[in-house]
Amino acid sequence: HNTIHLKYLGFGNLLWNVYEIENQITPVSTFDVYYDSTGSSNWQILATVPGTQYAYTDVLFNSHPNSRYRVSSNFSYSCTPTRSISSSLSNVISISGTDIIDAEQEGLIEMFPNPVKDELYLFTSGYPIERMMIFAVDGKLLFESNHIMSNTFDVSDFAPGIYISN
């Protein structure tokens, strides 16, 4: 089972990765988006979204500025695991900023998932992405964009391998 990596993009926008088991996209019937408005681990369901949706916007995020969020998958398949697993939980994030990025991480850039299959997500700690380049290990430029309109990049045409980004 891979990890559900939840990311807060600001202004109530949450994004998480596709759920996979053994590099296969796993049928998830729904995702539950939880929030804890007091930081006391009193998790409440904020929304339930289809298993094909990997983002949610909390339009009331201003009314609970210290909230923490997490996502839970609800599987729609059966298997015989060594442990009983009916869902998988994401990491916990905070919209106040105290749990996400501290002063030492001011220039942080994150790319996930790793390994990537179809879509690569790129995030920075508050500054826009102006240019994105992806190279093969032999130095050949495979992708370049100077007009970044989204933090999502389609890499489905890339052959399996190791790549370098700049």
Side-chain angles (χ1 to χ4, degrees), residues 82-143:
T82 56
R83 296 184 333 191
S84 176
I85 299 173
S86 59
S87 70
S88 181
L89 291 172
S90 73
N91 56 306
V92 174
I93 60 164
S94 168
I95 66 173
S96 68
T98 58
D99 293 350
I100 303 173
I101 297 170
D102 60 25
E104 294 177 359
Q105 296 175 309
E106 191 170 311
L108 181 69
I109 297 174
E110 291 184 74
M111 299 174 98
F112 69 90
N114 184 12
V116 64
K117 192 172 188 176
D118 295 318
E119 289 186 330
L120 175 68
Y121 300 99
L122 177 66
F123 296 100
T124 64
S125 56
Y127 54 90
I129 302 167
E130 295 178 8
R131 184 176 183 196
M132 171 71 162
M133 296 185 299
I134 299 176
F135 298 89
V137 290
D138 65 0
K140 181 180 176 185
L141 179 64
L142 300 175
F143 173 86

Side-chain angles (χ1 to χ4, degrees), residues 3 18 36 39-40 44 46 69-70 91 107 127 151 153 157 160:
T3 302
V18 174
D36 169 18
S40 61
Q44 300 172 30
L46 179 64
Y69 295 89
R70 76 178 331 161
N91 56 306
Y127 54 90
N151 290 14
F153 301 92
D157 291 338

